[in-house]
Amino acid sequence: MGRGGPTGVPRVDPITGTVPMNFRQYVKYHRSFLVFLGLVIVAALAIDAFVLYKRAAYATETERLRSGMSELERERTDLALRDHEKRLQVMLALIRRQARLDKRIHLAVSLDSARMYLGREGAVLREIEIEVGPERLVGVAPDTVVLAHPRGERSVQKVLGASDTWDVPEWVYHDRGLPVPADRAIQGALGPSAIVLNGGLVIYAMPEAGPLNDSTYILPGSIRLSASDLAAVVPNLTAGTAVYFY
């Protein structure tokens, strides 16, 4: 008896009209894919093993350091860590309260919920969904800087339009793996409109030209939102307008 039936004719799938492959044939015709899949699985397992190893090493090192402390030193360390966390929570709560009570028109940015609010005296005039740039170490050693998420109160330094130029920092090109041009002043580099805050932080929309013209790349330490939402907010802002980050 043949493998396909009493007459030795292979079975044909009545729906697709094809002869289904057995496991040996599948392995033969998809050998490269199966090898690739196996390598991916092995790599994933290796990464998991490394993470578990480092976690165990950190736990061992932490326990070793704590064992060398006196009981009083351990208590002081634990209190300091808890106190730092409490201070941060209190600071963020005060920033939220200050934003709600501000009688001037202002912006409030909630980093955790990825929302920005245009408000005045506790009233929310507009709620906007935003994208928050990642925290990252940028630049080329030894000239490097950590771009962290802002906390606290900032102020609007200037508002840029589509015809304004922005000097794209050199580190942006390095971060994107692009060659650094001789002239980094690009018209509309921050989109049709943008808000530049003190300290160099920017709130912008994706531009049509320049290194930030990429939906998958958000300027580290900055805020990106849609061009329509930004256009609705910008007319309400002037130099010195408060922007609260919490």
Side-chain angles (χ1 to χ4, degrees):
M1 181 180 295
R3 63 182 179 85
T7 61
V9 178
R11 296 189 182 92
V12 177
D13 191 305
I15 298 176
T16 63
T18 60
V19 178
M21 290 187 293
N22 57 32
F23 179 74
R24 183 176 299 177
Q25 290 173 320
Y26 184 85
V27 171
K28 177 181 177 181
Y29 289 107
H30 298 84
R31 187 183 304 275
S32 298
F33 171 75
L34 292 175
V35 170
F36 172 75
L37 183 61
L39 291 174
V40 171
I41 294 174
V42 170
L45 292 175
I47 292 173
D48 288 344
F50 177 76
V51 171
L52 290 174
Y53 166 77
K54 295 300 289 185
R55 180 179 179 182
Y58 290 146
T60 301
E61 180 65 11
T62 300
E63 187 60 31
R64 185 187 69 80
L65 292 173
R66 287 179 62 84
S67 65
M69 297 179 181
S70 66
E71 185 65 28
L72 179 60
E73 289 174 330
R74 283 196 294 269
E75 289 179 0
R76 286 178 176 175
T77 300
D78 293 339
L79 286 173
L81 291 173
R82 288 196 294 268
D83 186 53
H84 175 74
E85 183 178 352
K86 288 180 180 178
R87 283 202 303 268
L88 179 60
Q89 292 174 350
V90 170
M91 182 191 75
L92 295 180
L94 288 174
I95 293 169
R96 291 192 190 96
R97 183 176 183 275
Q98 186 177 352
R100 287 196 301 267
L101 297 178
D102 197 336
K103 296 182 178 181
R104 305 163 298 170
I105 196 162
H106 62 272
L107 291 174
V109 181
S110 174
L111 297 173
D112 292 337
S113 60
R115 292 287 188 276
M116 185 170 75
Y117 307 94
L118 178 67
R120 172 186 279 171
E121 292 190 85
V124 176
L125 306 178
R126 189 179 183 94
E127 179 178 346
I128 301 168
E129 183 177 354
I130 62 173
E131 296 176 285
V132 181
E135 295 184 321
R136 186 171 299 171
L137 176 68
V138 300
V140 179
D143 187 19
T144 57
V145 63
V146 176
L147 294 180
H149 293 154
R151 303 283 185 178
E153 182 181 350
R154 301 289 181 94
S155 61
V156 175
Q157 189 176 64
K158 58 183 175 181
V159 176
L160 301 179
S163 60
D164 293 318
T165 60
W166 183 63
D167 288 328
V168 182
E170 187 174 334
W171 63 259
V172 173
Y173 292 93
H174 293 301
D175 195 39
R176 301 230 53 210
L178 300 172
V180 181
D183 184 7
R184 293 182 284 106
I186 299 178
Q187 187 177 26
L190 291 174
S193 57
I195 306 166
V196 180
L197 307 182
N198 61 321
L201 177 72
V202 296
I203 301 174
Y204 73 104
M206 192 175 75
E208 296 182 356
L212 300 183
N213 179 26
D214 185 346
S215 61
T216 64
Y217 181 84
I218 305 173
L219 192 65
S222 295
I223 306 297
R224 187 174 72 181
L225 60 156
S226 71
S228 59
D229 282 329
L230 192 54
V233 167
V234 162
N236 300 281
L237 308 179
T238 58
T241 298
V243 183
Y244 301 96
F245 290 89
Y246 52 83

